[in-house]
Amino acid sequence: MKVVEKFISINGEGKRAGELAVFIRFKGCNLRCSYCDTLWALEQDCPFKEETPEEITQYILNSKIKDVTLTGGEPLIQPEIKRLIELLLKANDEIRVEIETNGAVLLKDFRVEDSSRLSFTMDYKLPSSNFENSMKLDNFQYLIKNDSVKFVSGSLEDLNKAKFIINKYDLIKRGISIFISPVFGKIELTSIVDFMKENNMNDVRMQIQLHKVIWHPDTRGV
């Protein structure tokens, strides 16, 4: 597996924002969104270390951190990602695995028998990403209550599309966590709050990436 970063920090976003997590970042992605903040990890010449699922699992166990975030790039395009998921969940019954995925890979093949400690945080790419057409809409039927959908929004058009998708797939009633995150530096935070107020968006959370507040936005390994 092509690992470009391993580190311990706090979750910058998601349901466990502010909690300690161990991060494994993989090289490569099948998209190239306009606002991507990890383009360096997608480059052909990006340095990486080839590691087995067993080696990664041992690193995580040695960290003594319960929350694990598998990210990228796009982690689900790594050939041995399902084996890694299974190893982690078997290795320690306190480990919780979160997979950050871009919505352009079908989730059904990555569910495991016991999904209670496995969650997907799935992006829905809105118009400003330039990759909305790449979304696998069938993924919405495979989401469960453990999972989250993230809408990275940079415009009013994006916000309106997010609202449409939330309603179309009945995400709130299904108990799926919903986050709206701003494209860093592209939209006023007050605009998102105003939109949520005007549209009575109960049970939707606006979320700022904590790591970009604590550290410089371009800092790696945090």
Side-chain angles (χ1 to χ4, degrees), residues 41-153:
L42 316 187
E43 300 298 340
Q44 194 69 29
D45 60 355
C46 172
F48 66 93
K49 183 179 179 183
E50 193 74 47
E51 298 194 37
T52 65
E54 289 79 7
E55 289 171 329
I56 296 168
T57 297
Q58 192 57 55
Y59 168 80
I60 290 167
L61 290 173
N62 290 343
S63 77
K64 302 189 186 303
I65 302 296
K66 293 194 296 186
D67 290 334
V68 178
T69 299
L70 306 180
T71 188
E74 172 50 59
L76 294 184
I77 64 174
Q78 292 291 320
E80 294 188 275
I81 192 71
K82 188 169 183 181
R83 173 160 173 75
L84 175 59
I85 295 166
E86 291 170 340
L87 282 174
L88 288 171
L89 294 176
K90 288 176 182 176
N92 186 321
D93 60 10
E94 291 189 326
I95 283 178
R96 296 179 292 240
V97 179
E98 177 190 8
I99 299 176
E100 295 185 336
T101 181
N102 63 20
V105 179
L106 281 173
L107 301 181
K108 66 176 181 178
D109 297 328
F110 301 97
R111 288 289 181 197
V112 294
E113 201 168 306
D114 177 12
S115 291
S116 63
R117 291 181 289 118
L118 172 66
S119 64
F120 290 93
T121 296
M122 188 189 83
D123 276 22
Y124 181 88
K125 301 299 183 185
L126 296 167
S128 68
S129 72
N130 298 329
F131 279 92
E132 187 177 11
N133 289 340
S134 297
M135 294 297 91
K136 302 291 187 186
L137 298 180
D138 282 352
N139 277 336
F140 285 107
Q141 67 182 291
Y142 302 119
L143 294 172
I144 61 176
K145 284 187 177 182
N146 281 8
D147 300 326
S148 305
V149 177
K150 181 173 71 173
F151 297 95
V152 180
S153 304

Side-chain angles (χ1 to χ4, degrees), residues 113-202:
E113 201 168 306
D114 177 12
S115 291
S116 63
R117 291 181 289 118
L118 172 66
S119 64
F120 290 93
T121 296
M122 188 189 83
D123 276 22
Y124 181 88
K125 301 299 183 185
L126 296 167
S128 68
S129 72
N130 298 329
F131 279 92
E132 187 177 11
N133 289 340
S134 297
M135 294 297 91
K136 302 291 187 186
L137 298 180
D138 282 352
N139 277 336
F140 285 107
Q141 67 182 291
Y142 302 119
L143 294 172
I144 61 176
K145 284 187 177 182
N146 281 8
D147 300 326
S148 305
V149 177
K150 181 173 71 173
F151 297 95
V152 180
S153 304
S155 66
L156 180 60
E157 179 188 16
D158 283 352
L159 293 171
N160 276 310
K161 190 56 179 285
K163 178 175 176 280
F164 173 80
I165 293 294
I166 291 166
N167 292 336
K168 179 177 180 179
Y169 293 100
D170 214 14
L171 298 181
I172 292 171
K173 288 184 180 177
R174 290 168 57 193
I176 294 163
S177 297
I178 303 165
F179 300 97
I180 296 179
S181 297
V183 177
F184 193 76
K186 292 293 185 182
I187 189 170
E188 293 293 334
L189 301 181
T190 52
S191 298
I192 297 177
V193 176
D194 288 343
F195 183 87
M196 292 173 66
K197 288 162 59 179
E198 290 162 8
N199 290 277
N200 297 317
M201 297 180 76
N202 293 298

Side-chain angles (χ1 to χ4, degrees), residues 14-44:
K15 288 192 289 187
R16 297 192 175 276
E19 293 187 22
L20 282 176
V22 55
F23 290 81
I24 310 294
R25 186 182 303 282
F26 296 101
K27 179 179 178 176
C29 189
N30 54 339
L31 304 181
R32 204 175 185 89
C33 297
S34 62
Y35 48 73
C36 180
D37 56 6
T38 51
L39 279 174
W40 59 271
L42 316 187
E43 300 298 340
Q44 194 69 29

